[in-house]
């Protein structure tokens, strides 16, 4: 979890400004009604920008680690005595991506009561309570995911660095890029990273806001991981000078965060974890004594309603993809894709956020039409088939150049009814 704070406003969960980073005309682009709506091509929402740079484009080019960070990581791994490091990296990667969430105590109790009732109904062989309890525990062990906390010592921390440093940096860079794109005037002063691990959040934040950030607080329960992150900042040694000034390391959470960026693996388990944290803030259970305003979602959701991906008949993880160049270890040199889930939370009014639909799957381009799967401000998923004739030339072209994770610059019919225009020729 990364927290970015500014003394004046925003990402403090501060004073979000309406239409941040977007010209007023852009918010009046179109009303998307399948099959009948059109875009007002005279609104001038693009200005002099080409369609491929429309206001909803958020995709980053292939991300590369800062040279100093990549060199330090290579040096540390070369100097280590970790045996079979490539196999260990692959095994840890597989384990992290296959993990499920631990079963909550309440759910475990419910399962135990259900098993006890079923055993008593189907058998009279349990003459003592001890035998019944033993049978229930045996059944629970066979059917319940056995979650274990990883203890990161020096060796495992190095393996984790080799496995996740570059992909984690790419995912966080994409999240920060969203903030920078929608709020270019935002200049944070401090950052806190809870669960900081290798320190990739600090490096990503410095690469974007290095001119304004003055203090970075890295918090992690593993002393070995904190030591590794500090060595990376010192070029891979213990005695070097910090590449990024103003970085501090702690094993315990020193303050209550005021704004949050949460990033997890792009799996169902990771997405569910983020939605639990999201709901905790939105329901007001995590109130800040310094800022009584309610929380809202800055990204990626265009609403504060239950995630439609999880409430569907076949639940899916809401995830995104970011290309990156891996650290050039001997086993990893070709560009990769990092699949991740994220949520960026703030305090204030939801009306102050950008409420354009989010593209949640790869865009399918076909002759004279394009398919977009959208998470819409009304909390529902929509499969929109866009054409120039039905939706206007500009919106159609914007959709064709958009990617998974971008925003489609349209508004809902309740917010805006477009001006009637003649059907433009298809192109």
């Amino acid at each position: 979890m990364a927290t970015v704070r500014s003394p004046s406003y925003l990402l403090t969960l501060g004073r979000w400004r309406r239409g941040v980073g977007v010209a007023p005309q852009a918010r009046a682009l179109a009303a998307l009604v399948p099959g009948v709506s059109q875009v007002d091509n005279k609104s001038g929402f693009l200005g002099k920008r080409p369609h491929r740079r429309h206001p909803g484009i958020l995709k980053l080019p292939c991300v590369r680690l800062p040279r100093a960070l990549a060199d330090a990581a290579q040096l540390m791994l070369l100097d280590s005595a970790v045996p079979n490091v490539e196999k260990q990296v692959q095994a840890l990667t597989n384990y992290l991506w296959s993990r499920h969430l631990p079963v909550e105590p309440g759910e475990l109790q419910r399962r135990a009561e259900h098993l006890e009732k079923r055993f008593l109904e189907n058998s009279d062989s349990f003459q003592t309570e001890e035998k019944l309890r033993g049978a229930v525990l045996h059944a629970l062990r066979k059917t319940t995911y056995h979650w274990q906390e990883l203890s990161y010592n020096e060796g495992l921390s190095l393996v984790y660095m080799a496995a996740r440093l570059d992909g984690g940096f790419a995912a966080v860079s994409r999240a920060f890029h969203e903030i920078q794109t929608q709020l270019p005037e935002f200049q944070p002063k401090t950052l806190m990273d809870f669960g900081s691990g290798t320190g990739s959040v600090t490096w990503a934040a410095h690469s974007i806001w290095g001119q304004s950030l003055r203090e970075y607080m890295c918090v992690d329960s593993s002393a070995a991981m904190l030591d590794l992150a500090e060595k990376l900042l010192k070029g891979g040694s213990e005695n070097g000078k910090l590449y990024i000034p103003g970085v501090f390391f702690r094993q315990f959470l020193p303050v209550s965060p005021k704004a949050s960026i949460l990033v997890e693996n792009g799996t169902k388990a990771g997405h569910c974890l983020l939605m639990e944290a999201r709901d905790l803030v939105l329901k007001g259970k995590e109130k800040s004594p310094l800022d009584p305003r309610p929380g809202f979602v800055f990204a990626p959701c265009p609403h504060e309603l239950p995630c439609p991906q999880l409430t569907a008949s076949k639940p899916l993880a809401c995830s995104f993809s970011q290309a990156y160049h891996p650290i050039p270890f001997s086993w990893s040199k070709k560009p990769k894709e990092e699949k991740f889930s994220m949520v960026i939370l703030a305090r204030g009014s939801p009306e102050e956020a950008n409420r354009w639909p989010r593209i949640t799957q790869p865009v399918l381009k076909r002759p004279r039409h394009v398919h977009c799967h959208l998470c819409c401000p009304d909390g529902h998923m929509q499969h929109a088939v866009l054409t120039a004739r039905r939706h206007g030339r500009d919106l159609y072209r914007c959709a064709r150049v958009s990617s998974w994770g971008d925003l489609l610059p349209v508004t809902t019919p309740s917010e805006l009814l477009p001006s009637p225009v003649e059907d433009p020729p298809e192109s």
Side-chain angles (χ1 to χ4, degrees), residues 309 316 319 358-364 372-373 381 403-405:
Q309 296 275 65
L316 297 172
S319 61
R358 177 79 60 171
I359 300 174
T360 60
Q361 296 182 25
V363 174
L364 301 178
C372 292
H373 291 81
M381 298 298 299
S403 304
W404 178 15

Side-chain angles (χ1 to χ4, degrees), residues 96 122 151 190-191 205 244 247 278 301 314 316 323 378 390 425:
L96 292 174
N122 298 332
S151 179
T190 62
L191 177 141
I244 301 174
V247 181
R278 169 187 183 269
C301 321
K314 294 182 179 180
L316 297 172
D378 62 3
R390 292 181 177 178

Side-chain angles (χ1 to χ4, degrees), residues 292-306:
R293 291 176 298 171
F296 73 93
V297 181
F298 176 70
C301 321
H303 56 78
E304 280 71 40
L305 299 168

Side-chain angles (χ1 to χ4, degrees), residues 205-279:
H206 181 264
S207 67
I208 294 178
W209 296 300
Q211 298 301 315
S212 66
L213 279 168
R214 296 292 180 265
E215 180 180 300
Y216 308 77
M217 180 66 71
C218 297
V219 183
D220 199 287
S221 60
S222 169
M225 195 69 84
L226 290 173
D227 183 58
L228 180 145
E230 186 172 4
K231 286 181 180 178
L232 285 173
L233 283 166
K234 293 180 177 180
S237 68
E238 295 183 353
N239 303 317
K241 183 180 179 181
L242 287 176
Y243 182 82
I244 301 174
V247 181
F248 302 92
F249 301 92
R250 298 287 187 275
Q251 275 191 273
F252 304 100
L253 189 64
V255 295
S256 176
K258 295 178 64 181
S260 300
I261 299 171
L262 309 176
V263 179
E264 283 286 342
N265 289 346
T267 61
K268 288 184 181 180
H271 179 49
C272 287
L273 191 63
L274 294 186
M275 292 301 99
E276 289 181 12
R278 169 187 183 269
D279 293 342

Side-chain angles (χ1 to χ4, degrees), residues 1-44:
M1 178 180 77
T3 301
V4 191
R5 298 190 295 159
S6 168
S8 56
Y9 70 95
L10 238 128
L11 258 191
T12 54
L13 294 181
R15 307 183 189 92
W16 294 94
R17 297 169 60 183
R18 180 175 298 277
V20 290
V22 180
Q25 306 97 302
R27 298 184 66 85
L29 175 54
L32 186 64
V33 182
V36 297
S37 65
Q38 298 170 332
V39 61
D40 180 4
N41 289 309
K42 298 179 181 179
S43 65

